Amino acid sequence: MPQTTPAASDDSRTRFGFPAIARKKVSAAFDGGRMTCDGGVLLLSQAERLMGICERLAACIADPRDPSRIVHSLTDILRARVLAIACGYEDADDLDTLRDDPGFRLALGKLPGSGAGLASQPTMSRWENAPTTRELARMMVAMVDVYCASYPAAPAAVTLDIDDTCDVVHGYQQLSFWNGHHGERCFLPIHVYDTATGRPVAMLLRTGKTPSGAEAAGHIRRLIRHIRRHWPDTHITIRGDGHYGRPEVMTFCEAHGIDYVFGLPTNAALRTDPEIVKVADACAVKRAEGNHVVLRNYTQTRYGAKSWNCQRRVVARIEASILGMDIRYVVTSLEEGSAEHIYDTLYCARGRAENLIKLHKAQLASDRTSCRSANANQMRLILHTAAFWLMWRIQQAIPKAKALASAEFATLRLRLLKVAARVIESASRIRVAFASACPDAAVFRTIAAALRSAPT
């Protein structure tokens, strides 16, 4: 009996069929050779090396391994993990199946057909759990440094949006806490974005309860201190919802020349303020007389709560409708600008930060904080933020006239990263052959050229 050869028993060469086309038989097999489904990972690799994110992060972690026995450098381990996250492989388990993917091997500077592959899942998991609290603090500072370095020169002014988001836990993990508002055991990590440009600034894992004024002020103080090392003269405005309109936060901002625009929860004193009551009554009467479905007006007052050390400017957005009266309040240090401008143009623009949080959580899976250790989950949050930076950098390289310039990360991944390519290695060169019919070939080529020539 003839023996079955390994090639004949290889499942990848097993043929299967599809319906015939024009009387021609259609058969298929996974025998196309050295190909990758993630050809766009090479774009991510160029962006990462230009920004130097993984080198910055690796420099913050002590590596106790014997240098003579190291196969995968710490930078390459982190780089592989971040590139995989950006390509949609959010679990470390996925690295076991990507170890010999020729696209990822090229992205890490390895030959596609020889040498060690990518680091395995156990290696990734060990390094996710390795950093100490102090090392994680240094890594968070490094991410702020990445943010500042992303500007070619210090900007005249920036507005930073701060917000927290519900991250439902996967069990009784460190820092998990029951949150009555969300009805879940969760974390409430703090996200900070430069919303006008879509840049991530800082991400901090924390327990599932609303931050106190002292805690929020402490986080903002440390963030401002790190930014000021790079930009001593940049005017900074902090923007957030009512969680951050606390006296400790406002006092810190006023003492350090930081402007703020914060939501302000309603209370009995605001509801009975003479100026607000007068404008609200006039708005309701005008709506009824004009038979409008909804009518909006704005006003402002000076208000000082008992816990405040002074009176501050409060802007009220008044909306009368057939359903009743709705009044929202904003407290601000800005003395210029109308009440309408403060609320509609400045405060409402923070909604963009919520969209960025959705990109971070839903499209880069940064809520996969399923480790038992809080440090390991903070490490994951940092790695997913690094992947956010790479996607942002790819987006910035797209010509503004193209529709993809304003696309979400999931669309960018589908159109630019999930691109099949054949990797051909010869004695003197490596050629990556993309599909001739790739619909975004021109944009892909433009991005590759822009990242190659971009300044570091």
Side-chain angles (χ1 to χ4, degrees), residues 152-277:
V158 294
T159 298
L160 304 182
D161 282 287
I162 182 170
D163 202 357
D164 48 66
T165 182
C166 178
D167 180 355
V168 179
V169 300
H170 296 72
Y172 288 86
Q173 301 159 256
Q174 291 180 355
L175 296 185
S176 66
F177 197 83
W178 174 262
N179 188 291
H181 175 74
H182 296 288
E184 299 278 3
R185 289 190 67 88
C186 63
F187 306 123
L188 280 184
I190 288 177
H191 289 235
V192 183
Y193 295 92
D194 180 346
T195 306
T197 62
R199 289 171 163 91
V201 182
M203 313 297 154
L204 174 67
L205 188 78
R206 52 177 305 284
T207 189
K209 61 181 180 179
T210 301
S212 66
E215 180 190 352
H219 295 322
I220 292 174
R221 181 180 67 251
R222 286 184 287 273
L223 175 61
I224 297 300
R225 182 174 69 242
H226 296 316
I227 293 177
R228 285 292 186 215
R229 293 190 312 176
H230 298 274
W231 301 338
D233 300 320
T234 297
H235 181 261
I236 300 174
T237 301
I238 301 291
R239 187 165 55 192
D241 63 12
H243 290 174
Y244 300 94
R246 307 294 183 91
E248 296 90 342
V249 175
M250 293 185 286
T251 299
F252 166 80
C253 291
E254 291 162 351
H256 292 83
I258 309 296
D259 277 326
Y260 57 82
V261 182
F262 293 129
L264 186 64
T266 186
N267 57 43
L270 289 172
R271 287 192 292 269
T272 58
D273 183 272
E275 177 63 26
I276 296 176
V277 170

Side-chain angles (χ1 to χ4, degrees), residues 333-356:
S333 62
L334 299 171
E335 296 299 334
E336 297 182 356
S338 66
E340 181 177 358
H341 174 78
I342 293 295
Y343 189 89
D344 276 355
T345 303
L346 296 183
Y347 181 70
C348 288
R350 61 174 294 275
R352 167 66 175 154
E354 297 181 2
N355 292 333
L356 295 175

Side-chain angles (χ1 to χ4, degrees), residues 25 61 80 144 157 302 329 413 445:
K25 180 181 178 182
I61 307 174
V144 176
R302 303 294 298 185
Y329 305 93
R413 179 185 297 136
R445 191 181 297 110

